Amino acid sequence: MSAADGVGAGAERRGGSMTIGLISDVHANVIALEAALEALKRRRVDTILCLGDLVGYGPAPNEAIDLIRSEGIECTLGASDERLAFGFISASKKRHGVADEILSWTRGVLEPSHLAFLQGLPVQKRIQTPAGWLRFFHGTVDNTSERLNLNQDPHSLTRMLERHRCSILASGATHVPFFRRVGPNGLVVNPGSVGLSLNGEPGADYALLTVSEDSVEIEMDKVEYDFAAVAFEIVAWGISPMVAEAVQMGRLPEKLAGGMGDGPA
């Protein structure tokens, strides 16, 4: 586990625009991941960045990680990834609810090479864009389990970008898409969740940035996928049927809202 900056080599496009796909919180939902990646490929993005949480809740951790690796997607460490990869789920203090129970199941089925991949992910990374640095991470810049509040006043967001030494800041963990512009070319964004979107509408969330030297444009989108197939796989593997319900509803069922550990991250 590393908190050092990772600099995306070759990501900069000087003298023109650059298109960047942002995804987060895949949560072992490979069918949703396939749909999101296909949508981004149709948009002819230059690069795709993943803000972590490849595992947890979903039924296909090996398939999801394999797809991320085979596509060469730059990725940071998520909270669920960290708890699984570094043995936090076996610690004396476990989270309340189904989250760690599902991670224990995931640890039992995860291929060793995929475990090693998770263990090698950095907590944060950055890439150069025509508008300056884009820094991305799962929770906060040094803690995967915390959540960064992006819904702040313009002055506070300006200071946030200054502290993180970037023009564009992306974080995940909340499973709810959000963005806010900061000045002429600044931006903070949460792309939502690919595998367990919780903004009231089921689907695979992603964000698309088009960045030039003098502008940063953003589109937030959600693509449909076969929710029923994912729900079937969740139940078939013995994972809580309440997770299957959340996937199909796009929100946490009331009976599950207090039983997801510390909540989706």
Side-chain angles (χ1 to χ4, degrees), residues 1-9 74-76 120-128 133-137 140-142 162-166 168-169:
M1 177 174 58
S2 170
D5 277 344
V7 180
E74 290 196 59
C75 191
T76 57
L121 291 176
V123 172
Q124 60 161 318
K125 298 190 79 171
R126 64 177 185 169
I127 66 168
Q128 183 67 269
W133 289 109
L134 184 161
R135 191 179 298 275
F136 62 104
F137 43 81
T140 65
V141 73
D142 54 9
E162 290 172 349
R163 287 196 308 271
H164 289 87
R165 292 179 294 171
C166 61
I168 305 168
L169 187 149

Side-chain angles (χ1 to χ4, degrees), residues 3-70:
D5 277 344
V7 180
E12 187 178 5
R13 302 288 187 273
R14 295 190 181 276
S17 65
M18 176 182 180
T19 56
I20 303 165
L22 297 176
I23 60 174
S24 187
D25 295 273
V26 174
H27 286 301
N29 186 340
V30 72
I31 294 177
L33 179 60
E34 289 170 343
L37 295 184
E38 181 59 32
L40 287 168
K41 287 179 180 179
R42 289 196 300 268
R43 306 297 295 272
R44 302 181 65 83
V45 296
D46 294 311
T47 190
I48 299 175
L49 310 176
C50 179
L51 281 52
D53 262 9
L54 303 182
V55 300
Y57 302 116
N62 287 306
E63 294 84 351
I65 295 175
D66 188 63
L67 183 54
I68 289 286
R69 297 178 70 180
S70 65

